[in-house]
Amino acid sequence: MKLVAFLVCFMLAFAAVGATIQPREPGWSGSLLVVPMDGSHWTGVKAVAQEMGRRGHKVMVVIPEVSVLLGPGKYYTTRTFPVPYGKQQLDELQARNAEVMESKQLPLLEKISTRISNMRKFVDLQRATAESLLLNQELVDFLKKQNFDAVLTSPAVPTGAILAYNLSLPAVYMLRGLPCGLDSTATACPSPPSYIPRFFTNNSDRMSFRQRVLNVLVSTVEPLLCRLIYWSMEGVASRFLQRDVSVAEILRSGALWLLRYDFSLEFPKPLMPNMVLIGGINCAIKNPLTKRDVSLTEILSTGAVWLMWYDFNLEFPKPLMPNMQLIGGINCGIRNPLKKEVEEFVEGSGEHGIVVFSLGSLVSSMPKEKAAVFFKAFSMIPQRVLWRYTGEIPDNVPENVKLMKWLPQNDLLGHPKAKAFITHGGTHGIYEGICHGVPMVMIPLFGDQADNVHRMATRGVGVVLSIHDITAETLHDALNSVINDGSYEQRMEKLSAIHNDRPMQPLDLAVYWTEFVMRHKGADHLRPAAHDLNWFQYHSLDVIGFLLFIVLIVTLVTFKCCALCWRRCCRKLQKRKKD
Amino acid sequence: MKLVAFLVCFMLAFAAVGATIQPREPGWSGSLLVVPMDGSHWTGVKAVAQEMGRRGHKVMVVIPEVSVLLGPGKYYTTRTFPVPYGKQQLDELQARNAEVMESKQLPLLEKISTRISNMRKFVDLQRATAESLLLNQELVDFLKKQNFDAVLTSPAVPTGAILAYNLSLPAVYMLRGLPCGLDSTATACPSPPSYIPRFFTNNSDRMSFRQRVLNVLVSTVEPLLCRLIYWSMEGVASRFLQRDVSVAEILRSGALWLLRYDFSLEFPKPLMPNMVLIGGINCAIKNPLTKRDVSLTEILSTGAVWLMWYDFNLEFPKPLMPNMQLIGGINCGIRNPLKKEVEEFVEGSGEHGIVVFSLGSLVSSMPKEKAAVFFKAFSMIPQRVLWRYTGEIPDNVPENVKLMKWLPQNDLLGHPKAKAFITHGGTHGIYEGICHGVPMVMIPLFGDQADNVHRMATRGVGVVLSIHDITAETLHDALNSVINDGSYEQRMEKLSAIHNDRPMQPLDLAVYWTEFVMRHKGADHLRPAAHDLNWFQYHSLDVIGFLLFIVLIVTLVTFKCCALCWRRCCRKLQKRKKD
C-alpha cells in the first residue's frame, strides 16, 4: 500500500511539474450567451451555465427583471431587461396552477375554457417577455457586440433561438421535448407513429390497433397544433426578423440538441447525430459543484491532473473504468448533508423510513380540503413524511409529518431512509427518483407529467393517482404497495442500476458538447441533408411518381403493341378464313 | 507547486488507503465469448478483447486453426477449431484480390464473371468456417458450459450472431455497416433513400433527382440482394438451429451495435438508441495498451484512482475536461517510437517529409507493370516514400523509396513529417489518416472502399485515382496537389480536429458498452418496439387503410344523403311545377 502511495505521489509530483511546462492553452476559453426559460427548465440550464463559468468560459445570462426562479450565480454574469409585468402577476399565475387540484369536477366545457384561459395567460406572459428582450434594441446591440461563440437556451419558448438566429450564432438547445413533435420536425428525426407514442395520448411503445389509430390521428394534427401553440411567438419573431418566419425554420438552425432523455424513462426511438442525451442531469447538479470547489480548485487550475471522486462511501459500488474511475453513478451516491434538524427528523423514522412529498415548483399551495386528504393518509402510515408545503399551516398536522417551505429533494431521495416519493411527475423529480432508486406514488397535474408517470407506471416502479379522485384510502393503499410490496422496489433498483450505469455524467456531457459547438463554431458535420429537402422530396414522392409514370408508359406501350399485334393477327386470321 | 504536489500526495495516499477499505467489487467481472471474423475486422475486435481481458474479465476468442490475421493475445485465451482448408487456399484467395489491379481492362462480362467467381470463393470459405464452428457439436457444448455473459462478434459474417442466438446470449456487434442495408433492417433504424446514400452508388447526402432515382431503385432491390448475399449463411443457420431462419431475424436479436462510424467520415443520418459510435477506434489501439502496462498496472489494481495521460507532449492541445482530462484526441498525438532504421529514414526526408503508402492487408502483391507506374511517380517527388510492399523487389527502386513488408502505419501517419497518405480507402486506414490529419491520395480496390474515398473526396481532403487508369503523371499530380496545394491540408486539419474532439475514446466506449451488456444481461431498454411490428404495421398502412375506409364510408353516406335530398327536392319542385 505504501509503495502504491509512493508511486502515486511520485507520478503526480511529476505531473504537477509537467503542468507548469504545459499550461492550459489560453486561446480555447470562449464566451457563451445563455437565454433561459423560467421555471423548472432553469435547473438544467443553470447547472451548465455554472459549470461552463467554473471552467473558465465567459458566461452571460440574460434574464427578465422579474421572474420566479431565474437569478444570479457564482460563475456567470447576468444582464437583466425590464418587462411590462410585476412579481404579483407571476404569483397570480402560479396560484392559478393550483386550480387543477380543486376537488369539484368542473363541467367539461368549463374545464376546457379554464385551461385555455390559463394557457393564454401563460402564452401572453411568454410573449411579453420575448418582446421585452428582442425588441429592446439597445440590449440586442449590446449582445451583438459581445461576440459570443454560442447561445445556450431552452427552445420550448424560442426567444433564445430567435436571438441566436438573428445574431448568426450556433445555438445549443436544452429540452425534454417540444409539444406537437416540433423537435422531430426541427431535427428531421424520423418518428413513426406506429411505435412512438405521441404526447398526451397515454400510449406506450406497444399499442393496440385502437391506440395506433389515435396515435396516427394525433400525429396528423400535430403540425396544425404547432402553428396554434407558436402563433404568437411567430408573430414576435417575424416582427423582430422583419420577414415571415416559422418557429420550425428557426429551430432547424440549431447546432445541437441536449435532450433530457434517458431510455430508463423514455421508450426507444430513433435519434439524430446532433442529439446528446443528458436525462438525469439534475441528479448530479449540486454536489459536484460544491465538492469541486472545496479543495481541488488549486490543483485543477494547474490544468494537468484531474482527481476522481474516491473518498466517498459508495452505497452502490460500480464497475471501475480507466478514464471514468468511480464516476459512473457516483454522483447519485453523494448527497449534500441535510440540515441538523431535518437529519434528526429523518433519522428518527427508524426502520420505517421516510416519504418525500413535493408537487414541484410551479404549484404554490394546495386547497385546504385536498390537503386534509393527504394529512389523513399520512396519519395512517408508520413512515415519516417530509412535505414541500407553502400554504397556510393547519392545526392538526400529524406528528409524523414535517412541512417545509423548501425541500432538499435530491438529498432526501438519496438518503438511505427514503422509502417512497410522492411526486407530480415532472422530469426532474422523476429522474431524481430513478437515480436514487426510490419507488413513486405519482399525481400528475399538467404538461408532460401525465406522460412521464405513464412511462413509470408501465415499468412497474410506481402507482398513479388522480388528484381529482384521490382519497385518504387510495393514497394509503398506494403508499403501502410501493413501500411494502417489494416488487416495486426490486424493479426500481434494476431501473436505477441501468440509469446510473453511464460512461459519462450528463452534466459533463452537456458541458462538453456546449464547448464543442463553441470551439468548432457549430456542428455542421452533424446536420442531416434532410433539412435541404422539402417533404415531397424527403419521402421520395417525386421519385416514386416518376417511376410509376415510367411503369405506366411502359405498360401502355406494351399493351398498345400487344393490341396492335393481336389485331393484325386477327385480321390475318379473318383474311385467311375469308380466303 | 510544492504545495500542489503535497496536496496531491496527501489526497492520493488517502485514496490508496480508501482502496483497501473499498475494494473493486469482486462480483462484477464477467466472461465474454468473442467470435471474430478474419481480415481487417479483427483489428477492432481484438482491441476490445484485449482491453476487456486487461480489465479483469475472462475473455475467450474462438478462431479457426487456419487464418490470415486471427491469433492469440496477452489478455485472452483462444480456442481453435479445425477447418477443411489450408493456409495455401487462403493465400490463393488473397492473391486473387490483387487481380483488381491488373492493367488490362477486361470486357465487362468477363470482369463481372471474375468478380462473381472471386466472391463465390470468398463466400464458400466463410460458409466452410461457419459450418466448422457451428456443426462442431463438441465445441458448441463446451462453449455452452462456460456460461458467458455476452458474445462479441462481427455480424458481417454472422457466425457469432447465430451462435449467440442459439446460446441465448446477448450479442454485441462490431461493424462498419452491412451490405444491402441489413444493419438498418435489423436495428429498425429509419433510412430514407432521399438523403441517405446507398452503398456502391457513389451518391453523397445531397443528390440530384437522377441520383435519387438510382438511390431509390437500389434501396428497393436491397432486400433481394440481402437474400442472395446471405443465402448460404442462412442455410448453415437453418441447419444449425433446425428451423428456417433469416439472417435479419438473427441480427435483430443483437443487444448492442458498436458501429465504426464517425460523422467526420459518414453523412449524418438517424441512429437508434442501441448504436454506439466507435469510428476511429484503431487510431488509439496500440498505444494505450503499451503505456498502461508499463507502470500503472499496480496502482490500477488497487482500483481507486486512475491517472490520466499527462506527461505527453501534445501536438494539438485540447480543452481540459474534469473526467476526461487530457484524454480527448491525445491518443492521436501518441505514437509508438519507430524502429531506429525507419526513424532515420523518416527524419532524413528533411523539410519535404514523407509519403505513407499501403493498400491494406488483403492485397498481397502488385503486378509488376503497375508497380513500375508508382516507382516512376515516386522518383519525381522530393518526399521520401514508405511503401508496404510484399512482392518481388525490382532492381531500380528509386532512392527515396523504402519498401517494407509491414508498415507501422498509425505511427508513421502520426509522425510530424507525414505529408500524404496513399491508401486503398479501408475504414481503418481512412480513420488513421483523419485522426492524424494527413491528406490522402486514394485508390479504391473493392468492398466499401469506393464509398469511403468518395466521402473523403466530397470533403475535399483527398484525391481519388482509379487503379486501372493510373499513370505516373496522374499520381504525381495528385500527390503534388494534396501536399503543396495547402487547401487539402487545411480542410484535413479541420476534419481531424472535429474527429479527435470526443468526450470519450472509442475503445473505452466499446469496452464500456460491452461491459454494460454483460452486467445487465442485454440492453432491452434500448430495443425499439418497432421489432414487434410487421412492415405493414410499422408504416401504419393498416391504420391508414382503416381511416381511408372510414372517410370513404362517410363520403358515400353523405353523398347518398345529399342525392336523396336532392331527388326529393327535385320531385317536389317538379310536382309544384306540374301543379
Side-chain angles (χ1 to χ4, degrees):
Chain A
M1 217 61 259
K2 271 186 191 168
L3 177 72
V4 171
F6 170 72
L7 259 173
V8 169
C9 281
F10 173 74
M11 302 186 83
L12 278 163
F14 179 65
V17 172
T20 53
I21 301 164
Q22 274 254 324
R24 190 192 270 222
E25 196 196 17
W28 81 273
S29 137
S31 62
L32 179 72
L33 172 62
V34 181
V35 186
M37 181 180 153
D38 208 356
S40 62
H41 284 242
W42 173 232
T43 323
V45 172
K46 183 179 179 182
V48 177
Q50 284 276 70
E51 187 61 17
M52 291 292 292
R54 211 190 54 73
R55 294 188 192 189
H57 299 287
K58 195 185 113 195
V59 179
M60 179 178 288
V61 184
V62 178
I63 52 176
E65 274 176 4
V66 177
S67 74
V68 181
L69 291 177
L70 306 178
K74 191 173 167 189
Y75 293 107
Y76 57 81
T77 58
T78 49
R79 173 95 187 189
T80 56
F81 58 93
V83 282
Y85 51 82
K87 185 76 181 160
Q88 201 195 342
Q89 273 157 293
L90 281 188
D91 290 344
E92 273 170 28
L93 203 72
Q94 262 197 297
R96 269 172 187 279
N97 285 335
E99 279 172 17
V100 285
M101 288 189 288
E102 295 289 344
S103 266
K104 61 172 194 288
Q105 283 278 30
L106 295 170
L108 188 72
L109 271 181
E110 201 174 325
K111 200 168 139 191
I112 292 178
S113 93
T114 320
R115 285 267 171 126
I116 289 182
S117 127
N118 280 357
M119 181 60 102
R120 185 177 290 166
K121 287 221 170 68
F122 178 74
V123 167
D124 282 349
L125 190 87
Q126 299 294 0
R127 205 204 50 225
T129 318
E131 282 179 344
S132 308
L133 198 173
L134 297 175
L135 306 180
N136 184 336
Q137 195 58 45
E138 195 191 340
L139 176 60
V140 173
D141 285 344
F142 168 78
L143 294 175
K144 202 176 268 173
K145 276 187 210 138
Q146 305 300 304
N147 284 322
F148 292 108
D149 293 306
V151 176
L152 173 69
T153 187
S154 301
V157 175
T159 319
I162 297 167
L163 187 63
Y165 190 79
N166 176 252
L167 300 180
S168 300
L169 290 175
V172 177
Y173 300 145
M174 191 180 222
L175 66 161
R176 188 275 169 96
L178 294 178
C180 60
L182 192 60
D183 44 344
S184 301
T185 318
T187 51
C189 185
S191 179
S194 49
Y195 72 98
I196 301 177
R198 291 308 188 251
F199 264 131
F200 309 124
T201 55
N202 261 0
N203 285 339
S204 82
D205 58 344
R206 280 169 176 81
M207 295 174 251
S208 67
F209 182 74
R210 231 184 83 194
Q211 288 172 319
R212 287 201 293 120
V213 169
L214 174 67
N215 220 43
V216 168
L217 283 177
V218 171
S219 75
T220 321
V221 186
E222 274 181 341
L224 187 68
L225 261 176
C226 267
R227 296 310 295 257
L228 280 174
I229 292 174
Y230 287 109
W231 188 278
S232 74
M233 280 310 287
E234 285 181 353
V236 178
S238 300
R239 253 202 291 161
F240 177 56
L241 301 169
Q242 297 184 337
R243 68 178 181 85
D244 269 357
V245 71
S246 76
V247 167
E249 187 188 333
I250 289 168
L251 293 185
R252 253 177 237 281
S253 67
L256 212 77
W257 296 66
L258 303 175
L259 291 169
R260 280 202 302 280
Y261 258 46
D262 186 84
F263 290 105
S264 60
L265 172 62
E266 304 293 340
F267 301 117
K269 51 177 263 184
L271 301 168
M272 293 308 273
N274 59 352
M275 292 176 169
V276 177
L277 309 186
I278 54 158
I281 190 173
N282 45 313
C283 225
I285 280 172
K286 278 173 283 167
N287 308 304
L289 288 177
T290 13
K291 273 296 164 192
R292 273 178 202 144
D293 294 342
V294 180
S295 63
L296 301 186
T297 319
E298 201 176 339
I299 296 164
L300 272 174
S301 67
T302 67
V305 186
W306 184 268
L307 303 176
M308 299 314 196
W309 322 121
Y310 44 74
D311 54 14
F312 300 109
N313 188 10
L314 288 185
E315 298 184 27
F316 304 107
K318 286 274 139 196
L320 302 175
M321 294 285 299
N323 59 348
M324 297 281 126
Q325 201 82 349
L326 288 174
I327 281 285
I330 195 177
N331 286 321
C332 190
I334 311 168
R335 301 177 299 111
N336 281 325
L338 298 169
K339 273 188 202 162
K340 204 184 156 205
E341 168 211 359
V342 179
E343 180 69 38
E344 276 172 15
F345 182 79
V346 170
E347 280 299 334
S349 65
E351 54 167 339
H352 293 301
I354 58 163
V355 172
V356 183
F357 178 20
S358 166
L359 292 181
S361 53
L362 281 180
V363 175
S364 55
S365 67
M366 192 182 271
K368 250 187 180 168
E369 66 275 27
K370 208 47 70 176
V373 170
F374 285 89
F375 282 124
K376 191 172 168 207
F378 294 152
S379 70
M380 289 149 69
I381 59 171
Q383 281 77 23
R384 288 192 168 180
V385 180
L386 291 107
W387 182 351
R388 180 182 176 277
Y389 189 93
T390 45
E392 206 182 311
I393 292 177
D395 306 328
N396 52 348
V397 175
E399 264 188 21
N400 63 336
V401 177
K402 186 174 178 63
L403 303 179
M404 297 166 75
K405 281 226 184 294
W406 182 82
L407 213 59
Q409 187 170 286
N410 191 38
D411 302 331
L412 282 170
L413 289 172
H415 199 286
K417 291 233 180 283
K419 296 289 178 203
F421 179 29
I422 309 178
T423 171
H424 62 304
T427 345
H428 287 95
I430 290 267
Y431 273 125
E432 284 170 8
I434 296 177
C435 165
H436 296 293
V438 182
M440 307 177 188
V441 172
M442 301 168 289
I443 309 165
L445 301 179
F446 34 64
D448 59 353
Q449 294 160 9
D451 275 303
N452 290 342
V453 306
H454 181 66
R455 277 163 173 65
M456 296 305 283
T458 308
R459 282 166 171 75
V461 295
V463 174
V464 184
L465 296 176
S466 153
I467 189 73
H468 300 299
D469 314 332
I470 200 166
T471 65
E473 285 68 37
T474 54
L475 180 58
H476 175 255
D477 288 350
L479 279 171
N480 193 34
S481 303
V482 299
I483 295 172
N484 300 321
D485 182 328
S487 70
Y488 288 92
E489 206 183 324
Q490 232 172 15
R491 285 187 291 260
M492 190 45 137
E493 253 171 38
K494 262 195 190 166
L495 199 68
S496 185
I498 283 173
H499 173 68
N500 291 326
D501 196 348
R502 281 168 305 196
M504 206 174 160
Q505 285 304 305
L507 179 60
D508 289 321
L509 214 51
V511 167
Y512 185 88
W513 283 102
T514 307
E515 287 184 342
F516 184 96
V517 166
M518 288 164 67
R519 276 196 293 274
H520 302 285
K521 308 285 167 213
D524 277 349
H525 73 298
L526 299 178
R527 189 183 159 80
H531 286 300
D532 304 334
L533 302 173
N534 58 40
W535 68 271
F536 211 77
Q537 293 170 319
Y538 178 84
H539 295 289
S540 296
L541 296 181
D542 51 349
V543 173
I544 292 170
F546 171 74
L547 292 177
L548 283 181
F549 179 73
I550 299 279
V551 170
L552 196 77
I553 293 285
V554 170
T555 317
L556 263 181
V557 168
T558 318
F559 182 76
K560 281 276 170 195
C561 285
C562 289
L564 206 72
C565 291
W566 179 249
R567 243 178 282 156
R568 286 222 173 158
C569 288
C570 280
R571 257 185 231 162
K572 272 186 192 166
L573 231 72
Q574 280 174 338
K575 247 188 188 174
R576 264 187 221 164
K577 271 187 188 171
K578 272 184 192 172
D579 292 345
Chain B
M1 216 64 260
K2 270 185 190 169
L3 176 71
V4 172
F6 169 73
L7 260 173
V8 169
C9 280
F10 172 72
M11 302 186 83
L12 278 165
F14 180 64
V17 171
T20 53
I21 302 164
Q22 273 256 325
R24 190 192 270 221
E25 197 194 15
W28 82 272
S29 136
S31 62
L32 179 71
L33 171 61
V34 181
V35 186
M37 179 182 155
D38 206 358
S40 62
H41 284 242
W42 173 233
T43 323
V45 171
K46 183 181 180 181
V48 177
Q50 283 276 68
E51 187 61 19
M52 291 293 292
R54 210 189 55 73
R55 294 188 192 189
H57 300 288
K58 193 185 114 195
V59 179
M60 179 179 289
V61 183
V62 178
I63 54 176
E65 274 176 1
V66 177
S67 74
V68 182
L69 292 177
L70 306 177
K74 190 172 169 188
Y75 293 107
Y76 57 81
T77 58
T78 50
R79 172 94 188 189
T80 56
F81 59 91
V83 281
Y85 51 82
K87 184 75 181 161
Q88 200 194 344
Q89 271 157 295
L90 282 187
D91 290 344
E92 270 169 31
L93 204 72
Q94 262 198 299
R96 269 174 187 278
N97 285 335
E99 277 172 19
V100 285
M101 287 190 289
E102 295 289 343
S103 265
K104 59 174 195 287
Q105 283 280 29
L106 296 170
L108 190 70
L109 272 180
E110 200 174 326
K111 200 167 140 192
I112 291 177
S113 93
T114 319
R115 286 266 172 125
I116 289 181
S117 127
N118 281 356
M119 180 64 98
R120 185 177 291 165
K121 288 222 168 69
F122 178 75
V123 167
D124 282 348
L125 190 87
Q126 300 294 1
R127 206 206 47 228
T129 319
E131 281 179 344
S132 308
L133 198 172
L134 296 175
L135 306 181
N136 183 335
Q137 196 57 45
E138 193 191 341
L139 176 60
V140 173
D141 286 344
F142 168 79
L143 294 175
K144 204 176 265 171
K145 275 186 210 138
Q146 304 301 305
N147 283 324
F148 291 107
D149 293 304
V151 177
L152 173 68
T153 187
S154 300
V157 175
T159 318
I162 297 168
L163 186 64
Y165 189 80
N166 176 252
L167 301 180
S168 300
L169 289 175
V172 177
Y173 299 146
M174 191 179 225
L175 67 160
R176 188 273 168 98
L178 294 177
C180 61
L182 192 62
D183 44 344
S184 301
T185 318
T187 50
C189 183
S191 178
S194 50
Y195 73 98
I196 300 177
R198 291 308 187 251
F199 264 132
F200 309 125
T201 55
N202 261 0
N203 286 338
S204 81
D205 57 345
R206 281 169 176 80
M207 292 175 254
S208 67
F209 181 74
R210 233 184 79 194
Q211 289 172 319
R212 286 203 290 121
V213 169
L214 174 68
N215 220 44
V216 168
L217 283 176
V218 171
S219 75
T220 322
V221 185
E222 274 180 341
L224 187 69
L225 261 176
C226 268
R227 295 311 294 257
L228 281 175
I229 292 174
Y230 287 108
W231 188 277
S232 73
M233 280 310 287
E234 285 181 353
V236 179
S238 301
R239 253 201 294 163
F240 176 57
L241 301 169
Q242 297 183 336
R243 67 176 182 87
D244 268 356
V245 70
S246 75
V247 167
E249 187 188 333
I250 290 167
L251 294 186
R252 256 178 237 280
S253 68
L256 211 77
W257 296 66
L258 303 175
L259 291 169
R260 280 202 302 280
Y261 258 46
D262 186 84
F263 290 104
S264 61
L265 172 62
E266 304 294 339
F267 300 117
K269 49 177 266 184
L271 301 168
M272 292 309 272
N274 60 352
M275 292 176 171
V276 177
L277 308 187
I278 55 156
I281 189 174
N282 46 313
C283 224
I285 281 172
K286 279 173 282 167
N287 309 302
L289 289 176
T290 12
K291 272 298 165 191
R292 273 177 201 143
D293 294 342
V294 180
S295 61
L296 301 186
T297 319
E298 202 174 342
I299 297 165
L300 272 176
S301 67
T302 67
V305 186
W306 184 266
L307 304 176
M308 298 316 196
W309 321 121
Y310 44 75
D311 55 12
F312 300 110
N313 188 12
L314 287 186
E315 298 183 27
F316 304 106
K318 287 270 140 198
L320 302 175
M321 294 286 299
N323 59 348
M324 296 281 125
Q325 201 81 349
L326 288 173
I327 280 286
I330 195 176
N331 286 320
C332 191
I334 311 168
R335 300 176 299 112
N336 281 325
L338 298 169
K339 275 188 201 159
K340 206 185 154 203
E341 169 211 358
V342 179
E343 180 70 37
E344 276 172 13
F345 182 79
V346 170
E347 280 299 333
S349 65
E351 54 167 339
H352 292 301
I354 57 162
V355 172
V356 183
F357 178 19
S358 165
L359 292 182
S361 53
L362 281 181
V363 176
S364 57
S365 67
M366 190 182 273
K368 249 187 181 169
E369 65 274 26
K370 205 50 78 183
V373 169
F374 283 88
F375 283 124
K376 189 173 169 203
F378 293 153
S379 69
M380 288 149 69
I381 58 169
Q383 281 79 23
R384 288 191 169 180
V385 180
L386 291 108
W387 182 352
R388 182 183 177 275
Y389 188 92
T390 45
E392 205 181 310
I393 293 178
D395 306 326
N396 52 349
V397 176
E399 266 189 19
N400 64 332
V401 177
K402 188 176 178 64
L403 304 179
M404 297 166 76
K405 281 227 183 294
W406 183 80
L407 213 59
Q409 188 171 287
N410 191 38
D411 303 331
L412 282 170
L413 288 172
H415 199 286
K417 291 230 180 283
K419 296 290 176 200
F421 180 27
I422 309 178
T423 173
H424 62 305
T427 347
H428 288 96
I430 290 267
Y431 273 126
E432 283 171 7
I434 297 177
C435 164
H436 296 294
V438 182
M440 305 177 188
V441 172
M442 299 168 291
I443 310 166
L445 300 179
F446 35 64
D448 60 352
Q449 295 161 7
D451 276 304
N452 291 343
V453 305
H454 182 66
R455 278 163 171 66
M456 297 305 282
T458 309
R459 282 165 169 76
V461 296
V463 174
V464 184
L465 296 177
S466 153
I467 189 72
H468 300 299
D469 314 333
I470 200 166
T471 65
E473 285 69 36
T474 53
L475 179 58
H476 176 256
D477 287 351
L479 280 170
N480 193 33
S481 301
V482 300
I483 296 173
N484 300 320
D485 183 329
S487 69
Y488 288 92
E489 207 185 324
Q490 231 172 15
R491 285 186 293 259
M492 190 45 137
E493 255 171 38
K494 263 195 187 164
L495 199 68
S496 184
I498 284 173
H499 173 68
N500 291 326
D501 196 347
R502 282 169 303 198
M504 205 174 162
Q505 284 305 304
L507 179 61
D508 290 320
L509 214 52
V511 167
Y512 185 90
W513 283 101
T514 306
E515 288 185 342
F516 184 97
V517 166
M518 289 164 68
R519 277 195 293 274
H520 302 284
K521 308 282 167 217
D524 278 349
H525 73 298
L526 299 179
R527 189 183 157 82
H531 286 299
D532 304 335
L533 302 173
N534 58 38
W535 68 271
F536 211 75
Q537 293 170 319
Y538 176 84
H539 294 290
S540 296
L541 295 181
D542 51 349
V543 172
I544 293 170
F546 171 74
L547 292 177
L548 282 181
F549 179 73
I550 299 278
V551 170
L552 196 75
I553 294 286
V554 170
T555 317
L556 263 181
V557 168
T558 319
F559 183 76
K560 281 276 171 198
C561 287
C562 288
L564 206 73
C565 292
W566 179 249
R567 244 180 280 155
R568 289 218 171 160
C569 288
C570 278
R571 258 184 228 161
K572 273 186 193 167
L573 231 74
Q574 280 174 338
K575 247 186 189 175
R576 264 188 221 162
K577 268 189 188 171
K578 272 183 193 174
D579 294 344

